[in-house]
Each structure stands twice: as structure tokens, then as C-alpha cells.
Amino acid sequence: MNPIPVNTPLLNGNELQYLTQCIETGWISSEGPFITKFEAQFSNYIGCSHGIAVSNGSAALDIAIKALNIGPGDEVIMPAFTIISPAQSVVTAGALPVLVDSDALTWNMDVNQIEAKITAQTKAILVVHIYGLPVDLDHILDLAKKYKLKVIEDAAEMHGQTYKGKMCGSFGDISIFSFYPNKHITTGEGGMLLTNDSELAERCKKLRNLCFEPNGPRFVHHELGWNYRMTNLQAALGLAQLEQIDHFIDKKRAMGASYQQGLLPLKAKGYQLPLEKTEYSENIYWVFGLVAPSPEEKERMVNLLTENKIGTRPFFWCMHEQPVFQKMGLFKNESYPVAEKLARNGFYVPSGLGLSEPELATVVSIFNQF
Ligand SMILES: *Cc1c(COP(=O)(O)O)cnc(C)c1O
């Protein structure tokens, strides 16, 4: 049996044609014409007035935090259950992540636990939409208004997902996307910041480009930034991918529906499958995750899948249990039981856009042998 990787991207639209144009014209740096096209078309697709393309999603988070002037003494509320990128950006900016436990069904930050975490130091709520279903944004927006907080939306797993009919990534003061190869559209490595605030957009552009002064003398800097620029080659890929996004989302939803049906018998064995929908969104299955009834059961199942050359990945590991943060003295004696259970019992199965129907059927059959 051929191995079934946990992710394979689909690159069979205009990707090769646009990349060839880059090579033929010599435009391979961040100065090329695909950058502004991709920024305009992606921001337009999400419904924001400005898009700032960057080298990856984690870079976009660094820029978002700095653009909002979040630094030492400030607190940022975010989920305990997330990829490390948002927490890393906050910590490296000198600010403090304040963690919130997860909702057991959507796996997103439990919005009912946020208000109790707000202090005089709170600057922002950093929303991380998890695995295919968004956070219940209305609660967040109400709190942000009441306490005058900024909202940062990490929509890296949410391309094309909507909340009550409006695009995720269009709600935050700043939102970010990643275009890593396992996201709904990819540029290899890449990311984008989106905002409706033209001043913030200018700040993001400056921060991505070493804080060169747009109007001052060249090579004289008043502030530190990064070289987080995207290349024209990446943007060429992104543009070709964006042309296919509706099809990609349909494909992900079809994959999700097939897994839901095929893996239904697991529910009787105590497994939790992703919610198909909530009252505000329908799952787009960035990945198809499962929560086993125990860590031992997860290990047994993951081993069986591995023996059959089927790729899996564990769920995120919680921020308060990260050795790197513990060594810094962060999150001492904190506990988030729902997030901890997700981290210990959760894993996901092959769910990339390149997954074929027979491959999906193979994955399902291994589970059901068990
Ligand atoms: C993938 C991802 C990121 C990081 O993006 P990179 O492009 O890999 O740096 C950040 N946040 C979330 C929620 C992600 O899924």
C-alpha cells in the first residue's frame, strides 16, 4: 500500500503558468507585479480594504502585535489551545499572553471565560479560529467594544470560512492569514495581514520592510522592523490558488462529510468527531481532527494508522504546558482542563486537498477494522 501523507497540496491551476511568467520576466523579488495583484485580490475576497503580503503567517502576527503598539506591561487574551505562533509574537514583543480554556465541542476559545480575564492591562483579544470552525465572534466584538480592546483575528485556518455569512478575517482590527502548504490556499511559505485602517496598513508595510522611511532619506531608520517580505514567486502561486478557492472549500467540505459518515461508528467507542456546523458557520475542515476517549486509545490508534503508512499529527500542545514558556516563568500553576484533554487525546488524519477518494476510503477502513 502506498503511504497516505497527512497533507498534499493541489497545484494544478495556473500555478506553473504564473511562475513561468516570473522567471521569463525576471521578477522574482518582492518588487514584482504579482504581489500587489495578490494583495488586492485576496483582501477583496475577504472584504478588507488593505492586504499586506508577508513571508509567513507567524511573521504576520509579529507585525500585527507591533503595529498595534502592544509591548511590555500589556496583556493579550488568547486561547491556551493554539499553535505557538500567536503566543510567541506576544511574548517576544514583551507582552503577556493571558490564556483562556477551550470549548469542548468547537475546540475554540470558550467565549464565556474571556470577560473574567480582562484587566486594566488588557490591550487586545487575539482570536485563533481552530481547525475549521470560527470562534463565536459576536461575543468577542461586544467585549472589545465594552472594554475598548483591539481584536486580532488569526484566520490562518479559515480561508473562505464565514461567520453569520461574513468572511472570517474581516472582523478584527487586524487579521492574519498563513499560506503554508496545508492551508486552504498556499504560496509554499507566505502570509498576509488584512485591515480596513489605512494608517495601520501603512505601519504594517513599514514593519515588513525593515522600517525604511517611505519619505525620509534611504538607509536612515527611526524604528526597527523585519524583512518579512513575500516574493513575487510566492504571490504568483497565491494568485493561481485564489482562483480555485471556491472549489477547494467545496472539496474540503466533501472530504469532511465523507469522514463524518465513514467514522461514525467511532462515536460509539467514545471518540469525538468535529462538529459539522454551529448556528453561525459550517465546518470547512482545515484538518479532520478526532478526540480519542483516552491518551492510551489515541496512541493505539495512531500506531495502527502509522503501521498502515497513514500520516497523522497530534493536536496542538497547550501554551501553559510549553517548556519554553515554563522556563520563562510564565503560566505557573495554571490549568485549562478542556484544552489539556484536546492536546492529550486529539489527533488528525490525512485531510489535504490532494487526498483522493480511494485514499480517504482506505483511512476509514483502517479505523473500522479496529
Ligand atoms: C499555520 C498557522 C500559523 C502560522 O503560519 P505560518 O505561515 O506557518 O507561520 C499561525 N496560526 C495558525 C492558527 C495557523 O494554523
Side-chain angles (χ1 to χ4, degrees):
M1 210 161 52
N2 289 325
I4 305 179
V6 76
N7 177 61
T8 34
L10 260 190
L11 302 165
N12 48 17
N14 286 323
E15 287 85 352
L16 189 58
Q17 186 195 326
Y18 294 168
L19 279 173
T20 305
Q21 277 179 39
C22 296
I23 305 293
E24 284 176 353
T25 59
W27 284 113
I28 55 171
S29 77
S30 61
E31 293 287 313
F34 282 120
I35 297 281
T36 44
K37 259 193 210 166
F38 182 45
E39 287 177 334
Q41 291 190 19
F42 189 74
S43 55
N44 182 55
Y45 172 74
I46 300 296
C48 280
S49 22
H50 306 279
I52 301 97
V54 292
S55 47
N56 57 68
S58 306
L61 283 160
D62 281 344
I63 292 180
I65 297 295
K66 192 151 180 187
L68 291 170
N69 294 316
I70 293 168
D74 296 331
E75 296 178 359
V76 178
I77 295 177
M78 69 173 70
F81 182 72
T82 167
I83 190 166
I84 200 166
S85 308
Q88 164 166 316
S89 295
V90 169
V91 169
T92 53
L96 180 68
V98 172
L99 306 179
V100 175
D101 204 359
S102 309
D103 175 278
L105 295 179
T106 66
W107 308 336
N108 274 300
M109 173 159 61
D110 181 349
V111 292
N112 297 314
Q113 296 188 38
I114 296 175
E115 193 162 13
K117 302 269 177 165
I118 297 174
T119 71
Q121 280 69 51
T122 309
K123 270 284 181 69
I125 304 176
L126 202 168
V127 165
V128 185
H129 302 297
I130 301 286
Y131 294 170
L133 278 175
V135 176
D136 192 348
L137 282 157
D138 278 349
H139 280 271
I140 309 275
L141 298 173
D142 287 347
L143 288 172
K145 202 167 164 194
K146 185 169 165 192
Y147 294 96
K148 298 193 167 53
L149 306 175
K150 299 291 180 193
V151 174
I152 304 164
E153 235 188 310
D154 180 343
E157 304 172 4
M158 254 357 85
H159 312 63
Q161 175 61 293
T162 56
Y163 173 80
K164 298 188 176 171
K166 188 168 175 266
M167 283 284 178
C168 292
S170 68
F171 293 88
D173 292 282
I174 297 192
S175 64
I176 74 98
F177 284 86
S178 161
F179 305 117
Y180 189 71
N182 62 2
K183 315 295 182 182
H184 292 85
I185 65 167
T186 183
T187 60
E189 299 283 351
M192 202 180 292
L193 294 125
L194 297 181
T195 179
N196 287 318
D197 180 326
S198 33
E199 249 173 69
L200 265 183
E202 284 313 308
R203 237 182 109 54
C204 292
K205 277 187 197 162
K206 206 171 141 182
L207 286 165
R208 123 182 114 174
N209 191 25
L210 296 166
C211 286
F212 276 102
E213 293 293 332
N215 305 312
R218 192 140 175 105
F219 302 116
V220 178
H221 301 257
H222 295 269
E223 223 189 329
L224 297 179
W226 299 272
N227 174 358
Y228 279 166
R229 301 183 300 255
M230 177 184 270
T231 70
N232 200 49
L233 295 159
Q234 291 166 295
L237 268 177
L239 206 61
Q241 289 266 296
L242 185 56
E243 291 166 357
Q244 307 164 75
I245 194 165
D246 292 340
H247 164 64
F248 287 168
I249 290 165
D250 289 347
K251 195 157 187 229
K252 282 278 198 175
R253 287 211 167 111
M255 173 204 77
S258 300
Y259 269 136
Q260 291 282 5
Q261 199 186 10
L263 300 180
L264 193 62
L266 289 175
K267 283 193 182 175
K269 295 178 182 156
Y271 274 82
Q272 185 193 352
L273 303 186
L275 286 186
E276 290 174 61
K277 55 178 189 237
T278 62
E279 58 192 38
Y280 45 79
S281 302
E282 208 188 308
N283 207 325
I284 54 168
Y285 301 104
W286 172 56
V287 293
F288 195 92
L290 297 128
V291 183
S294 67
E296 297 72 31
E297 170 63 21
K298 163 178 152 182
E299 200 188 327
R300 234 151 48 102
M301 193 57 102
V302 165
N303 287 342
L304 179 74
L305 291 162
T306 308
E307 281 162 25
N308 285 280
K309 298 189 196 149
I310 292 169
T312 61
R313 284 276 184 291
F315 271 16
F316 297 135
W317 194 246
C318 299
M319 292 309 103
H320 63 291
E321 298 193 292
Q322 294 291 346
V324 62
F325 291 144
Q326 289 177 343
K327 268 187 270 176
M328 298 168 90
L330 293 169
F331 316 128
K332 263 196 200 121
N333 305 318
E334 292 182 25
S335 139
Y336 302 96
V338 179
E340 286 162 23
K341 183 181 166 202
L342 292 174
R344 282 166 178 69
N345 297 14
F347 63 102
Y348 62 88
V349 290
S351 9
L353 285 159
L355 184 72
S356 69
E357 280 177 31
E359 285 175 328
L360 189 148
T362 304
V363 177
V364 167
S365 73
I366 301 296
F367 269 100
N368 288 336
Q369 258 178 38
F370 200 44

